[in-house]
Amino acid sequence: MALTKADLAEALYNELGLNKREAKEFVELFFEKIRASLSAGESVKLSGFGNFDLRNKNPRPGRNPKTGEEIPISARRVVTFRASHKLKERVEENAQSKSEDFNNQAELNAGSR
Amino acid sequence: MTKSELIEKLSASQPQLDDRDVELAVKELLEQMSSALAGGDRIEVRGFGSFSLHYRPPRMGRNPKTGAAVEVPDKHVPHFKPGKELRERVNNL
């Protein structure tokens, strides 16, 4: 199941005792402050989680993949996210323990046959 | 903008909350998001974007110092796809 704003508000209600309206408003505001900073051209660095950076892209020729028609892609500014080392490590460790579980389970299954 | 600046901005616009609570709330949100990704779940926030994991297959790498070949195991890396509102606002400058 994907984590949503409703889940995040629920966590603030359960873990910190914000009331439901405050929790919902806080979650909205949290993402809005990040959007506002990026919209103003300022990157966002959340230590332990990751950085949201801005990149300027040059115009380039593109193509409609369905029709093959050529359409120019204009110059634009885009947001990129770089996960922190801490977050990357947490994701990798977990995936590793999952594949170990999978292998252990496969051995058990083989043994029972 | 850093995490502490984000906390300051949120405190300024939520004067009914203690500064300490705002700090805890920001940490709680980031912890919820990190643990969702660590547990293999996606994050979907309308108007902001979604976070998911991308699979990187195993590959042969090289120790740049010694030139020795090393096996790099497969892994998952966090990926962010900006949502429509964020994309449009960032590009409207």
Side-chain angles (χ1 to χ4, degrees):
Chain A
M1 262 301 282
L3 185 79
T4 62
K5 281 194 283 197
D7 299 319
L8 291 170
E10 185 78 12
L12 294 181
Y13 170 74
N14 288 330
E15 304 297 323
L16 293 173
L18 267 64
N19 71 43
K20 297 219 170 175
R21 185 189 48 77
E22 280 173 340
K24 188 165 177 254
E25 195 179 313
F26 192 91
V27 171
E28 285 295 341
L29 220 49
F30 172 83
F31 289 109
E32 177 51 29
K33 295 292 181 197
I34 299 175
R35 270 196 302 254
S37 175
L38 292 169
S39 306
E42 199 194 338
S43 63
V44 177
K45 301 184 185 301
L46 304 174
S47 84
F49 185 73
N51 296 348
F52 296 91
D53 293 316
L54 295 161
R55 291 181 80 98
N56 292 311
K57 301 277 197 177
N58 289 326
R60 60 190 169 93
R63 217 175 255 286
N64 180 331
K66 261 191 200 139
T67 63
E69 185 192 354
E70 269 196 50
I71 342 164
I73 298 173
S74 55
R76 61 193 60 206
R77 172 180 274 176
V78 297
V79 178
T80 60
F81 175 70
R82 271 185 68 103
S84 71
H85 280 285
K86 192 176 158 200
L87 178 58
K88 282 189 202 167
E89 272 172 27
R90 282 183 68 176
V91 166
E92 277 175 44
E93 275 167 26
N94 212 287
Q96 238 168 24
S97 65
K98 265 187 192 159
S99 70
E100 275 164 25
D101 286 351
F102 180 81
N103 291 336
N104 292 343
Q105 197 57 45
E107 278 169 31
L108 285 177
N109 289 345
S112 68
R113 243 177 255 134
Chain B
M1 181 172 74
T2 62
K3 184 157 51 174
S4 48
E5 288 164 350
L6 172 61
I7 291 167
E8 280 169 27
K9 285 186 185 193
L10 287 165
S11 289
S13 52
Q14 296 292 86
Q16 80 284 11
L17 296 178
D18 280 0
D19 289 2
R20 179 76 191 133
D21 286 343
V22 171
E23 187 181 344
L24 287 174
V26 166
K27 291 188 171 158
E28 177 66 23
L29 294 183
L30 294 173
E31 175 52 31
Q32 288 289 328
M33 292 167 70
S34 300
S35 68
L37 290 171
D41 282 336
R42 293 166 53 82
I43 304 169
E44 289 177 2
V45 180
R46 180 151 313 169
F48 184 76
S50 60
F51 297 84
S52 58
L53 298 182
H54 279 189
Y55 178 69
R56 296 276 178 270
R59 62 187 173 85
M60 291 306 288
R62 243 171 228 291
N63 180 330
K65 261 193 203 140
T66 66
V70 276
E71 207 171 302
V72 181
D74 63 339
K75 60 181 175 186
H76 285 87
V77 294
H79 176 80
F80 175 66
K81 183 169 189 267
K84 187 161 181 270
E85 187 193 338
L86 179 59
R87 252 188 353 253
E88 289 176 354
R89 281 175 62 182
V90 161
N91 198 29
N92 265 350
L93 274 179

